[in-house]
Amino acid sequence: MERKIEPLVELLKELLDSSLKNVREFMHAEYKKRNGVYAIYDKNDLDNPIYIGKTERQKEGMKGRMNNLLGDYLSHTLNLKLLCDKILNWDRKLGRKEIIIRLKTMPKEESKKYRKEVKNYIENTLRVRFKELDKDISRFEHFAIGVLNPPLND
């Protein structure tokens, strides 16, 4: 059992020791085909990630995932959770479908304002650590979530 866990522990140490960057720094071409696991932090608490995610898409890589995060609530799960938690103070237990229905039925200008607030929050407040991997990406993501228990992974 220890032989299976030890490599994951080492990967987690590498992720947690990797440099912190803001989301925009991953928008460069060098990250386009790089896949792996990322940990997202609020800049006010750089010891405890708020979310852990993965990118496995060969064409988009980390650049594509961060672009999706900056997109809107339909592009990245974390964007929707931040919109609910930080901007609207809605209970996420409503379920994704119910939340999206509520967002789509609100006046367009109001919805646009909230999306802009989330994008500003992401750009100005969030920081990211990234561990590039070429295999066992989902396995490591699940392990990191299980060990670190980020509040926005549910």
Side-chain angles (χ1 to χ4, degrees):
M1 181 64 76
E2 193 173 307
R3 285 185 323 184
K4 290 183 180 182
I5 295 173
E6 194 56 40
L8 295 170
V9 170
E10 287 305 312
L11 287 174
L12 186 58
K13 287 177 184 175
E14 291 174 24
L15 173 65
L16 297 176
D17 289 340
S18 65
S19 61
L20 278 163
K21 300 179 186 288
N22 69 40
V23 173
R24 287 259 175 227
E25 290 180 79
F26 288 102
M27 300 298 286
H28 300 290
E30 68 187 271
Y31 290 100
K32 186 170 184 181
K33 293 187 179 185
R34 293 173 67 180
N35 293 300
V37 173
Y38 55 91
I40 298 181
Y41 298 79
D42 184 297
K43 72 178 181 182
N44 299 311
D45 182 5
L46 298 175
D47 293 325
N48 301 296
I50 62 168
Y51 185 83
I52 293 175
K54 69 178 182 218
T55 175
E56 295 181 293
R57 298 179 186 153
Q58 298 230 335
K59 290 182 180 179
E60 295 178 6
M62 187 63 174
K63 179 182 177 184
R65 280 315 276 155
M66 294 299 101
N67 190 44
N68 288 344
L69 177 59
L70 285 168
D72 68 24
Y73 61 87
L74 296 174
S75 301
H76 196 292
T77 302
L78 179 58
N79 189 296
L80 180 63
K81 291 177 179 182
L82 290 170
L83 181 60
C84 290
D85 287 4
K86 302 290 183 188
I87 308 300
L88 300 170
N89 295 313
W90 286 354
D91 184 353
R92 282 186 284 115
K93 291 179 184 165
L94 290 169
R96 182 179 173 87
K97 187 175 181 180
E98 175 65 26
I99 291 169
I100 289 172
I101 289 169
R102 285 186 180 192
L103 289 168
K104 285 188 172 192
T105 56
M106 75 173 43
K108 192 172 189 169
E109 286 305 310
E110 186 178 0
S111 173
K112 189 175 180 180
K113 175 187 149 216
Y114 293 141
R115 289 194 316 270
K116 185 177 180 179
E117 286 180 40
V118 170
K119 184 175 181 178
N120 286 338
Y121 178 81
I122 291 167
E123 288 181 322
N124 298 316
T125 307
L126 299 185
R127 300 295 178 265
V128 183
R129 294 183 194 277
F130 177 63
K131 173 62 183 153
E132 187 171 5
L133 298 167
D134 58 359
K135 62 180 182 175
D136 296 328
I137 294 171
S138 290
R139 188 170 148 225
F140 175 56
E141 178 200 27
H142 291 289
F143 178 78
I145 291 168
V147 170
L148 300 173
N149 195 26
L152 295 180
N153 285 96
D154 46 18

